[in-house]
Amino acid sequence: MSSFTIIIITTGDTEVLHRGRGDYSHIVDVNLKKNEMRKIISFMHVSLDGFVAGPNGEMDWIKVDEELFDHVGKRISEGDTALYGRVTYQMMEAYWPTAGEEPGASKHDKEHSQWYKNAHKIVLSKTLKESGSKTKIISDNLSDRINELKQSGNDTSKEILLFGSPTATHSLIQLNLIDGYWLFVNPIILGRGIPLFTEIKDKIKLKLLNSRQFTSGVTELNYIVDRQ
């Protein structure tokens, strides 16, 4: 009876399966992807002095236009899961499900409305009740539940965007659960308001992946947390 030996060789992010008689010369092309944990990415508009909203939640200072919408929309469309705090989620629910159907809806409104309706929505809240198959509420055991969410990766969504939601962001930062920051720095100094970073107990090392300057004066900064 012929004898076969199977060896799995790990090379970077792939695994190659060698199969043969002794010399392992026959290669079965399987190119197996390793299971990767999804990353939580904080997506936030921020002032130059680090505020995400004014003292009363004002966000009328945020600069958005078609150039920025088109750029942001490409990355958002690559994912299928959104993470929100309660207040931000309720704001989204009040607008996006029907925004694309309104008379005069923009290209961005139509595209993001469709994406929002199809996306899996995770909401951090102690008061909301689950409604609909695409919305899940996390109300306790935050660290365990978020880590479970990260491990539930699939072939189409390698990251989970945390949209705005400063209170939820603060909680996740304190638990060291945010893996990256996708920030859009607006050319304005607010002086006071709701900060992006607060009560940080330990240094968080970051690695800048890329940046971009928009014609509006907004600067995109794309960071990943350096855990090494």
Side-chain angles (χ1 to χ4, degrees):
M1 181 179 294
S2 298
S3 173
F4 284 86
T5 303
I6 296 176
I7 297 179
I8 296 177
I9 301 175
T10 301
T11 57
D13 290 334
T14 64
E15 292 177 347
V16 179
L17 185 64
H18 286 250
R19 180 180 180 183
R21 296 182 179 87
D23 62 357
Y24 318 126
S25 58
H26 298 81
I27 298 176
V28 180
D29 185 13
V30 291
N31 194 33
L32 299 174
K33 278 278 188 181
K34 283 186 175 181
N35 291 327
E36 297 179 4
M37 288 184 65
R38 292 197 284 181
K39 292 178 171 56
I40 304 291
I41 307 296
S42 172
F43 168 35
M44 193 80 77
H45 295 273
V46 61
S47 68
L48 184 60
D49 53 344
F51 294 102
V52 300
N56 298 308
E58 303 94 334
M59 293 184 289
D60 53 353
W61 49 272
I62 295 174
K63 288 180 173 287
V64 290
D65 56 21
E66 289 304 313
E67 180 190 22
L68 196 146
F69 281 145
D70 287 345
H71 177 72
V72 168
K74 291 177 183 177
R75 183 170 181 179
I76 291 176
S77 67
E78 293 173 356
D80 63 2
T81 306
L83 185 59
Y84 303 99
R86 176 185 60 80
V87 174
T88 301
Y89 170 70
Q90 290 177 322
M91 290 172 57
M92 300 298 102
E93 275 291 291
Y95 182 76
W96 284 116
T98 59
E101 303 166 7
E102 295 294 327
S106 68
K107 171 176 172 285
H108 167 67
D109 283 345
K110 293 176 182 178
E111 292 176 348
H112 192 70
S113 177
Q114 187 61 47
W115 180 87
Y116 181 85
K117 287 186 286 187
N118 292 333
H120 299 287
K121 292 167 277 290
I122 312 297
V123 186
L124 308 187
S125 173
K126 293 183 179 297
T127 58
L128 288 181
K129 304 298 182 183
E130 290 190 4
S131 60
S133 61
K134 290 186 176 293
T135 301
K136 301 296 181 184
I137 308 297
I138 295 179
S139 59
D140 55 13
N141 300 321
L142 183 57
S143 184
D144 290 342
R145 296 289 302 278
I146 291 296
N147 279 317
E148 289 173 2
L149 183 64
K150 288 184 178 187
Q151 292 168 7
S152 65
N154 53 51
D155 293 334
T156 61
S157 181
K158 299 304 181 186
E159 62 184 24
I160 300 167
L161 290 179
L162 169 59
F163 287 80
S165 309
T167 301
T169 300
H170 297 158
S171 297
L172 294 175
I173 290 175
Q174 290 166 10
L175 292 171
N176 196 28
L177 293 172
I178 290 184
D179 302 293
Y181 296 89
W182 189 26
L183 307 179
F184 290 84
V185 182
N186 283 251
I188 190 171
I189 297 173
L190 295 181
R192 59 197 183 103
I194 301 173
L196 173 55
F197 300 108
T198 184
E199 299 182 14
I200 304 296
K201 297 178 181 178
D202 299 304
K203 293 179 181 178
I204 302 173
K205 293 178 62 178
L206 303 175
K207 182 183 297 183
L208 181 65
L209 299 180
N210 52 62
S211 63
R212 173 172 171 171
Q213 179 81 45
F214 292 88
T215 56
S216 63
V218 172
T219 300
E220 173 193 28
L221 299 174
N222 187 19
Y223 288 101
I224 198 75
V225 174
D226 186 355
R227 301 195 186 280
Q228 297 182 351

